[in-house]
Amino acid sequence: AAAPGGPYMKTNVIVTTDAKGAAYPSNATFSYIDVWSSKYSWGGEAPPSEGQMVVIPAGHTMLLDQNTPKLKILLIKGGTFMFDDEKDIELNAEHIMIVEDGKFLVGESEAKPYQHNAKIILHGHVRSKELPVYGAKTLAVRKGHLGLYGKHILHTWTHIMKTINP
């Protein structure tokens, strides 16, 4: 969980017992995760504001725990960017690029899907400046992972009750 104004820490512990019934962790992992809303994730400064470029470098993990202003570019360059699964969140950007083995995750996996509403809004118009090769209003993956895991929707279709005009 996130400490007030501090980092998010995630631990995974598998507990086993010995012949006498004593429990001990046999496989423990610890992850240090920066939290978007914390000034400590941004070198003591406020989180990014509208029009800024954000880079998530290799070895860093960023947890998006609040709505963003409209970013110019979100570049996930080898790092991991993930949505906090405890609330509805909106990500606003003109361009989102996942490169150099970066990871963009909404939900942890198919087995652990995102349980709230996640909105990824790409901003721009027909005359927006384009990124070479990629264009405008970009969500691009070049040697990376885009994982969008949402809750299961029981019915993804419906019956039409009467003929409709095309």
Side-chain angles (χ1 to χ4, degrees):
Y8 175 90
M9 292 176 275
K10 180 178 178 183
T11 58
N12 295 318
V13 179
I14 297 173
V15 177
T16 58
T17 56
D18 61 18
K20 296 180 183 179
Y24 61 93
S26 61
N27 180 14
T29 60
F30 173 81
S31 299
Y32 182 86
I33 301 173
D34 287 316
V35 179
W36 185 277
S37 64
S38 174
K39 68 180 184 178
Y40 302 107
S41 299
W42 308 103
E45 302 292 326
S49 57
E50 185 165 334
Q52 288 191 303
M53 177 179 178
V54 175
V55 179
I56 310 299
H60 285 80
T61 299
M62 179 64 68
L63 179 77
L64 182 63
D65 65 332
Q66 68 180 29
N67 297 342
T68 68
K70 183 173 65 174
L71 303 171
K72 186 69 175 173
I73 298 175
L74 172 60
L75 177 62
I76 302 157
K77 190 175 181 181
T80 301
F81 184 83
M82 57 193 216
F83 278 51
D84 184 352
D85 194 18
E86 295 185 11
K87 57 182 88 173
D88 297 343
I89 297 179
E90 188 174 288
L91 170 61
N92 293 277
E94 291 182 34
H95 305 280
I96 301 170
M97 301 196 57
I98 306 158
V99 299
E100 298 180 16
D101 295 320
K103 294 179 184 170
F104 183 107
L105 300 170
V106 179
E108 191 172 323
S109 66
E110 195 171 336
K112 294 182 180 180
Y114 194 74
Q115 295 298 309
H116 294 273
N117 293 315
K119 290 184 183 179
I120 301 168
I121 301 172
L122 297 173
H123 295 268
H125 54 79
V126 72
R127 291 189 176 81
S128 292
K129 289 186 179 179
E130 296 183 359
L131 291 178
V133 179
Y134 298 103
K137 294 175 64 167
T138 307
L139 174 54
V141 182
R142 184 175 184 142
K143 197 175 180 225
H145 175 79
L146 173 63
L148 304 174
Y149 306 103
K151 27 184 186 180
H152 179 71
I153 298 172
L154 188 57
H155 296 289
T156 58
W157 52 272
T158 188
H159 290 283
I160 297 176
M161 301 301 290
K162 62 180 181 173
T163 301
I164 59 171
N165 294 324

